[in-house]
Amino acid sequence: EAQVTQNPRYLITVTGKKLTVTCSQNMNHEYMSWYRQDPGLGLRQIYYSMNVEVTDKGDVPEGYKVSRKEKRNFPLILESPSPNQTSLYFCASREYSGANVLTFGAGSRLTVL
Amino acid sequence: DQQVKQNSPSLSVQEGRISILNCDYTNSMFDYFLWYKKYPAEGPTFLISISSIKDKNEDGRFTVFLNKSAKHLSLHIVPSQPGDSAVYFCAASPTDYYNQGGKLIFGQGTELSVKP
């Protein structure tokens, strides 16, 4: 089944404790991206990657890092999480096509105490 | 500033009736508009899209209308079913795709509840 897989799905952590949210897609998509969803704000792009070893900042990149060492994986790294990073995170991928249809993972709900 | 806005946080409709979800945008530099549906504990799933050169696109019970002069789009669901109960996000794809990081710009979402 074509899908984007994120882990963990739920995580409660404390301020300053480094964590990584993994993302993997099995559709051979070149493009991958991370979004966060917050109440009243919709989904906002954190980072994106057009291809392996090519990453760039989105609209809300502060406090996050990413890497793209292989096509299928695009982990999101929080080096020193803070409470304002408490959010619902979605990884997405896309093949290049006209309508810019993103395929999303199931989401990772992160709470930083 | 919110470039894509969904001003109704929630909508309740009776089963079998029409659901109309609305979305406004402030920027004319979008070439596609999309609707996503999201169930609890799941990721958003693509529902339907419309090119900026069209004013209507239909797929089964779902129709999206685009009014470029008013910078407004709407999603019509006819007839509504209880399984349609979900959060619906409208999204816009900028024309300068690569310079914008290939992103979609999302509205805040509207929670639709279809009552039996």
Side-chain angles (χ1 to χ4, degrees):
Chain A
E1 178 189 356
Q3 60 185 2
V4 178
T5 304
Q6 299 179 224
N7 282 295
R9 294 290 314 279
Y10 303 92
L11 180 62
I12 300 174
T13 189
V14 296
T15 299
K17 185 176 181 181
K18 180 180 178 180
L19 67 92
T20 299
V21 185
T22 64
C23 174
S24 181
Q25 51 95 2
N26 62 1
M27 296 167 282
N28 202 36
H29 289 169
E30 292 185 341
Y31 179 92
M32 298 185 74
S33 182
W34 278 99
Y35 285 77
R36 60 180 286 175
Q37 182 193 346
D38 299 293
L41 296 176
L43 284 82
R44 295 176 294 166
Q45 189 187 56
I46 304 170
Y47 266 93
Y48 66 94
S49 171
M50 292 286 190
N51 212 328
V52 176
E53 302 292 0
V54 180
T55 64
D56 209 344
K57 297 176 180 178
D59 293 325
V60 287
E62 296 77 19
Y64 305 95
K65 286 175 55 177
V66 293
S67 69
R68 187 90 182 272
K69 292 184 170 54
E70 46 189 343
K71 194 181 229 184
R72 65 182 291 122
N73 295 324
F74 190 44
L76 179 69
I77 303 157
L78 286 73
E79 293 270 1
S80 183
S82 62
N84 65 11
Q85 293 179 296
T86 293
S87 189
L88 179 57
Y89 292 87
F90 292 102
C91 182
S93 71
R94 180 188 59 234
E95 63 179 64
Y96 290 115
S97 64
N100 195 8
V101 176
L102 288 170
T103 299
F104 285 89
S108 297
R109 183 167 290 283
L110 171 64
T111 301
V112 183
L113 302 175
Chain B
D1 63 331
Q2 193 87 15
Q3 296 185 61
V4 178
K5 296 180 182 180
Q6 295 175 257
N7 292 315
S8 298
S10 63
L11 174 68
S12 184
V13 170
Q14 207 66 31
E15 180 179 7
R17 306 294 291 269
I18 183 172
S19 296
I20 300 176
L21 296 99
N22 294 304
C23 181
D24 297 297
Y25 60 96
T26 59
N27 185 343
S28 297
M29 303 301 287
F30 295 125
D31 57 359
Y32 278 95
F33 298 91
L34 302 86
W35 284 93
Y36 277 81
K37 179 168 70 174
K38 185 185 177 306
Y39 292 119
E42 295 183 13
T45 55
F46 170 71
L47 189 58
I48 191 170
S49 66
I50 186 167
S51 165
S52 61
I53 63 172
K54 297 188 181 293
D55 54 20
K56 177 182 174 181
N57 187 28
E58 192 172 351
D59 184 1
R61 297 186 295 114
F62 302 91
T63 303
V64 57
F65 295 93
L66 177 61
N67 182 332
K68 288 183 284 294
S69 61
K71 294 189 173 65
H72 177 84
L73 66 153
S74 60
L75 175 68
H76 293 212
I77 306 174
V78 183
S80 301
Q81 300 173 353
D84 296 328
S85 297
V87 176
Y88 288 79
F89 291 97
C90 70
S93 178
T95 52
D96 57 340
Y97 172 92
Y98 288 102
N99 290 335
Q100 294 281 344
K103 68 184 175 189
L104 291 175
I105 299 173
F106 285 84
Q108 304 95 314
T110 297
E111 184 170 11
L112 173 66
S113 176
V114 180
K115 301 192 182 305

mmCIF file of all heavy atoms in Angstrom, chain B residues 59-86:
data_model
loop_
_atom_site.group_PDB
_atom_site.id
_atom_site.type_symbol
_atom_site.label_atom_id
_atom_site.label_comp_id
_atom_site.label_asym_id
_atom_site.label_seq_id
_atom_site.Cartn_x
_atom_site.Cartn_y
_atom_site.Cartn_z
ATOM 1 N N ASP B 59 -16.765 15.635 -8.807
ATOM 2 C CA ASP B 59 -16.329 14.253 -8.631
ATOM 3 C C ASP B 59 -17.339 13.569 -7.727
ATOM 4 O O ASP B 59 -17.278 13.675 -6.502
ATOM 5 C CB ASP B 59 -14.935 14.206 -8.015
ATOM 6 C CG ASP B 59 -14.407 12.781 -7.898
ATOM 7 O OD1 ASP B 59 -15.102 11.831 -8.310
ATOM 8 O OD2 ASP B 59 -13.277 12.606 -7.389
ATOM 9 N N GLY B 60 -18.278 12.883 -8.352
ATOM 10 C CA GLY B 60 -19.300 12.189 -7.583
ATOM 11 C C GLY B 60 -20.153 13.162 -6.789
ATOM 12 O O GLY B 60 -20.738 14.088 -7.340
ATOM 13 N N ARG B 61 -20.204 12.972 -5.488
ATOM 14 C CA ARG B 61 -21.023 13.846 -4.626
ATOM 15 C C ARG B 61 -20.349 15.180 -4.334
ATOM 16 O O ARG B 61 -20.954 16.056 -3.714
ATOM 17 C CB ARG B 61 -21.313 13.133 -3.308
ATOM 18 C CG ARG B 61 -22.130 11.858 -3.436
ATOM 19 C CD ARG B 61 -22.510 11.289 -2.070
ATOM 20 N NE ARG B 61 -21.345 10.863 -1.313
ATOM 21 C CZ ARG B 61 -20.941 11.434 -0.170
ATOM 22 N NH1 ARG B 61 -21.628 12.448 0.330
ATOM 23 N NH2 ARG B 61 -19.880 10.978 0.467
ATOM 24 N N PHE B 62 -19.116 15.339 -4.739
ATOM 25 C CA PHE B 62 -18.333 16.520 -4.383
ATOM 26 C C PHE B 62 -18.140 17.428 -5.597
ATOM 27 O O PHE B 62 -17.735 16.964 -6.662
ATOM 28 C CB PHE B 62 -16.961 16.098 -3.835
ATOM 29 C CG PHE B 62 -17.044 15.193 -2.644
ATOM 30 C CD1 PHE B 62 -17.063 13.814 -2.790
ATOM 31 C CD2 PHE B 62 -17.120 15.728 -1.367
ATOM 32 C CE1 PHE B 62 -17.154 12.983 -1.692
ATOM 33 C CE2 PHE B 62 -17.208 14.898 -0.257
ATOM 34 C CZ PHE B 62 -17.228 13.527 -0.421
ATOM 35 N N THR B 63 -18.432 18.711 -5.406
ATOM 36 C CA THR B 63 -18.221 19.706 -6.450
ATOM 37 C C THR B 63 -17.527 20.907 -5.836
ATOM 38 O O THR B 63 -17.925 21.369 -4.760
ATOM 39 C CB THR B 63 -19.556 20.154 -7.069
ATOM 40 O OG1 THR B 63 -20.250 19.018 -7.581
ATOM 41 C CG2 THR B 63 -19.315 21.150 -8.203
ATOM 42 N N VAL B 64 -16.505 21.374 -6.504
ATOM 43 C CA VAL B 64 -15.827 22.596 -6.051
ATOM 44 C C VAL B 64 -16.098 23.693 -7.073
ATOM 45 O O VAL B 64 -16.023 23.474 -8.282
ATOM 46 C CB VAL B 64 -14.318 22.367 -5.830
ATOM 47 C CG1 VAL B 64 -13.649 21.853 -7.083
ATOM 48 C CG2 VAL B 64 -13.645 23.627 -5.347
ATOM 49 N N PHE B 65 -16.439 24.865 -6.554
ATOM 50 C CA PHE B 65 -16.698 26.040 -7.379
ATOM 51 C C PHE B 65 -15.646 27.093 -7.070
ATOM 52 O O PHE B 65 -15.311 27.310 -5.900
ATOM 53 C CB PHE B 65 -18.084 26.616 -7.075
ATOM 54 C CG PHE B 65 -19.216 25.702 -7.444
ATOM 55 C CD1 PHE B 65 -19.753 24.821 -6.510
ATOM 56 C CD2 PHE B 65 -19.756 25.726 -8.723
ATOM 57 C CE1 PHE B 65 -20.802 23.976 -6.836
ATOM 58 C CE2 PHE B 65 -20.801 24.886 -9.061
ATOM 59 C CZ PHE B 65 -21.326 24.006 -8.113
ATOM 60 N N LEU B 66 -15.165 27.748 -8.110
ATOM 61 C CA LEU B 66 -14.172 28.803 -7.946
ATOM 62 C C LEU B 66 -14.690 30.097 -8.544
ATOM 63 O O LEU B 66 -15.048 30.142 -9.724
ATOM 64 C CB LEU B 66 -12.854 28.403 -8.617
ATOM 65 C CG LEU B 66 -11.732 29.441 -8.600
ATOM 66 C CD1 LEU B 66 -11.327 29.789 -7.174
ATOM 67 C CD2 LEU B 66 -10.530 28.946 -9.402
ATOM 68 N N ASN B 67 -14.716 31.141 -7.745
ATOM 69 C CA ASN B 67 -15.111 32.479 -8.196
ATOM 70 C C ASN B 67 -13.898 33.378 -8.069
ATOM 71 O O ASN B 67 -13.590 33.884 -6.987
ATOM 72 C CB ASN B 67 -16.274 33.005 -7.347
ATOM 73 C CG ASN B 67 -16.771 34.368 -7.798
ATOM 74 O OD1 ASN B 67 -16.026 35.159 -8.361
ATOM 75 N ND2 ASN B 67 -18.036 34.642 -7.544
ATOM 76 N N LYS B 68 -13.186 33.545 -9.182
ATOM 77 C CA LYS B 68 -11.909 34.269 -9.120
ATOM 78 C C LYS B 68 -12.100 35.751 -8.826
ATOM 79 O O LYS B 68 -11.281 36.356 -8.139
ATOM 80 C CB LYS B 68 -11.147 34.074 -10.435
ATOM 81 C CG LYS B 68 -10.587 32.660 -10.587
ATOM 82 C CD LYS B 68 -9.785 32.526 -11.853
ATOM 83 C CE LYS B 68 -10.672 32.425 -13.066
ATOM 84 N NZ LYS B 68 -11.483 31.181 -13.081
ATOM 85 N N SER B 69 -13.152 36.338 -9.320
ATOM 86 C CA SER B 69 -13.355 37.771 -9.076
ATOM 87 C C SER B 69 -13.591 38.047 -7.600
ATOM 88 O O SER B 69 -13.173 39.072 -7.068
ATOM 89 C CB SER B 69 -14.523 38.302 -9.913
ATOM 90 O OG SER B 69 -15.714 37.631 -9.562
ATOM 91 N N ALA B 70 -14.237 37.100 -6.921
ATOM 92 C CA ALA B 70 -14.495 37.258 -5.485
ATOM 93 C C ALA B 70 -13.408 36.622 -4.631
ATOM 94 O O ALA B 70 -13.456 36.714 -3.402
ATOM 95 C CB ALA B 70 -15.844 36.643 -5.128
ATOM 96 N N LYS B 71 -12.447 35.949 -5.277
ATOM 97 C CA LYS B 71 -11.396 35.207 -4.557
ATOM 98 C C LYS B 71 -12.036 34.260 -3.533
ATOM 99 O O LYS B 71 -11.711 34.281 -2.327
ATOM 100 C CB LYS B 71 -10.399 36.144 -3.890
ATOM 101 C CG LYS B 71 -9.564 36.967 -4.875
ATOM 102 C CD LYS B 71 -8.455 37.710 -4.145
ATOM 103 C CE LYS B 71 -7.504 38.386 -5.098
ATOM 104 N NZ LYS B 71 -8.155 39.461 -5.889
ATOM 105 N N HIS B 72 -12.931 33.455 -4.030
ATOM 106 C CA HIS B 72 -13.720 32.587 -3.168
ATOM 107 C C HIS B 72 -13.890 31.219 -3.824
ATOM 108 O O HIS B 72 -14.116 31.118 -5.031
ATOM 109 C CB HIS B 72 -15.103 33.221 -2.937
ATOM 110 C CG HIS B 72 -16.021 32.383 -2.116
ATOM 111 N ND1 HIS B 72 -16.003 32.381 -0.747
ATOM 112 C CD2 HIS B 72 -16.995 31.503 -2.493
ATOM 113 C CE1 HIS B 72 -16.919 31.539 -0.299
ATOM 114 N NE2 HIS B 72 -17.526 30.999 -1.325
ATOM 115 N N LEU B 73 -13.749 30.169 -3.001
ATOM 116 C CA LEU B 73 -14.106 28.847 -3.492
ATOM 117 C C LEU B 73 -14.975 28.146 -2.469
ATOM 118 O O LEU B 73 -14.966 28.497 -1.271
ATOM 119 C CB LEU B 73 -12.885 27.997 -3.850
ATOM 120 C CG LEU B 73 -11.908 27.525 -2.793
ATOM 121 C CD1 LEU B 73 -11.245 26.249 -3.266
ATOM 122 C CD2 LEU B 73 -10.840 28.574 -2.544
ATOM 123 N N SER B 74 -15.748 27.203 -2.964
ATOM 124 C CA SER B 74 -16.648 26.476 -2.081
ATOM 125 C C SER B 74 -16.663 25.008 -2.483
ATOM 126 O O SER B 74 -16.440 24.655 -3.654
ATOM 127 C CB SER B 74 -18.060 27.069 -2.119
ATOM 128 O OG SER B 74 -18.589 27.007 -3.424
ATOM 129 N N LEU B 75 -16.924 24.187 -1.499
ATOM 130 C CA LEU B 75 -17.063 22.737 -1.698
ATOM 131 C C LEU B 75 -18.491 22.361 -1.363
ATOM 132 O O LEU B 75 -18.968 22.657 -0.262
ATOM 133 C CB LEU B 75 -16.090 21.980 -0.789
ATOM 134 C CG LEU B 75 -16.218 20.454 -0.802
ATOM 135 C CD1 LEU B 75 -15.782 19.891 -2.149
ATOM 136 C CD2 LEU B 75 -15.396 19.848 0.332
ATOM 137 N N HIS B 76 -19.163 21.737 -2.326
ATOM 138 C CA HIS B 76 -20.525 21.276 -2.122
ATOM 139 C C HIS B 76 -20.523 19.761 -2.026
ATOM 140 O O HIS B 76 -19.923 19.086 -2.880
ATOM 141 C CB HIS B 76 -21.428 21.718 -3.289
ATOM 142 C CG HIS B 76 -21.637 23.193 -3.361
ATOM 143 N ND1 HIS B 76 -22.809 23.751 -3.830
ATOM 144 C CD2 HIS B 76 -20.855 24.231 -3.007
ATOM 145 C CE1 HIS B 76 -22.719 25.075 -3.765
ATOM 146 N NE2 HIS B 76 -21.539 25.385 -3.279
ATOM 147 N N ILE B 77 -21.202 19.255 -1.025
ATOM 148 C CA ILE B 77 -21.341 17.807 -0.856
ATOM 149 C C ILE B 77 -22.836 17.496 -0.898
ATOM 150 O O ILE B 77 -23.604 17.967 -0.048
ATOM 151 C CB ILE B 77 -20.754 17.341 0.495
ATOM 152 C CG1 ILE B 77 -19.303 17.824 0.656
ATOM 153 C CG2 ILE B 77 -20.816 15.823 0.593
ATOM 154 C CD1 ILE B 77 -18.705 17.531 2.026
ATOM 155 N N VAL B 78 -23.229 16.732 -1.931
ATOM 156 C CA VAL B 78 -24.630 16.401 -2.102
ATOM 157 C C VAL B 78 -24.791 14.942 -2.542
ATOM 158 O O VAL B 78 -24.221 14.576 -3.565
ATOM 159 C CB VAL B 78 -25.292 17.299 -3.174
ATOM 160 C CG1 VAL B 78 -26.777 16.986 -3.280
ATOM 161 C CG2 VAL B 78 -25.079 18.773 -2.880
ATOM 162 N N PRO B 79 -25.585 14.129 -1.837
ATOM 163 C CA PRO B 79 -26.151 14.402 -0.528
ATOM 164 C C PRO B 79 -25.121 14.141 0.569
ATOM 165 O O PRO B 79 -24.218 13.315 0.409
ATOM 166 C CB PRO B 79 -27.290 13.384 -0.453
ATOM 167 C CG PRO B 79 -26.781 12.213 -1.252
ATOM 168 C CD PRO B 79 -25.952 12.799 -2.354
ATOM 169 N N SER B 80 -25.237 14.818 1.659
ATOM 170 C CA SER B 80 -24.306 14.616 2.776
ATOM 171 C C SER B 80 -24.623 13.299 3.482
ATOM 172 O O SER B 80 -25.789 12.911 3.623
ATOM 173 C CB SER B 80 -24.421 15.766 3.773
ATOM 174 O OG SER B 80 -24.143 16.995 3.144
ATOM 175 N N GLN B 81 -23.545 12.640 3.947
ATOM 176 C CA GLN B 81 -23.684 11.369 4.652
ATOM 177 C C GLN B 81 -22.939 11.462 5.987
ATOM 178 O O GLN B 81 -21.966 12.214 6.103
ATOM 179 C CB GLN B 81 -23.087 10.235 3.811
ATOM 180 C CG GLN B 81 -23.740 10.053 2.459
ATOM 181 C CD GLN B 81 -23.026 9.037 1.587
ATOM 182 O OE1 GLN B 81 -21.955 8.540 1.934
ATOM 183 N NE2 GLN B 81 -23.630 8.731 0.438
ATOM 184 N N PRO B 82 -23.357 10.680 6.979
ATOM 185 C CA PRO B 82 -22.667 10.733 8.278
ATOM 186 C C PRO B 82 -21.164 10.476 8.163
ATOM 187 O O PRO B 82 -20.386 11.052 8.915
ATOM 188 C CB PRO B 82 -23.373 9.634 9.080
ATOM 189 C CG PRO B 82 -24.745 9.593 8.505
ATOM 190 C CD PRO B 82 -24.570 9.856 7.030
ATOM 191 N N GLY B 83 -20.751 9.639 7.217
ATOM 192 C CA GLY B 83 -19.326 9.364 7.006
ATOM 193 C C GLY B 83 -18.545 10.561 6.484
ATOM 194 O O GLY B 83 -17.312 10.534 6.462
ATOM 195 N N ASP B 84 -19.242 11.606 6.077
ATOM 196 C CA ASP B 84 -18.578 12.831 5.630
ATOM 197 C C ASP B 84 -18.138 13.698 6.810
ATOM 198 O O ASP B 84 -17.434 14.696 6.624
ATOM 199 C CB ASP B 84 -19.502 13.660 4.734
ATOM 200 C CG ASP B 84 -19.858 12.953 3.437
ATOM 201 O OD1 ASP B 84 -19.019 12.188 2.928
ATOM 202 O OD2 ASP B 84 -20.991 13.167 2.944
ATOM 203 N N SER B 85 -18.582 13.356 8.007
ATOM 204 C CA SER B 85 -18.213 14.137 9.197
ATOM 205 C C SER B 85 -16.702 14.089 9.382
ATOM 206 O O SER B 85 -16.111 13.025 9.584
ATOM 207 C CB SER B 85 -18.920 13.582 10.436
ATOM 208 O OG SER B 85 -20.321 13.707 10.311
ATOM 209 N N ALA B 86 -16.077 15.253 9.317
ATOM 210 C CA ALA B 86 -14.621 15.355 9.354
ATOM 211 C C ALA B 86 -14.259 16.836 9.360
ATOM 212 O O ALA B 86 -15.137 17.700 9.264
ATOM 213 C CB ALA B 86 -13.988 14.681 8.140
#
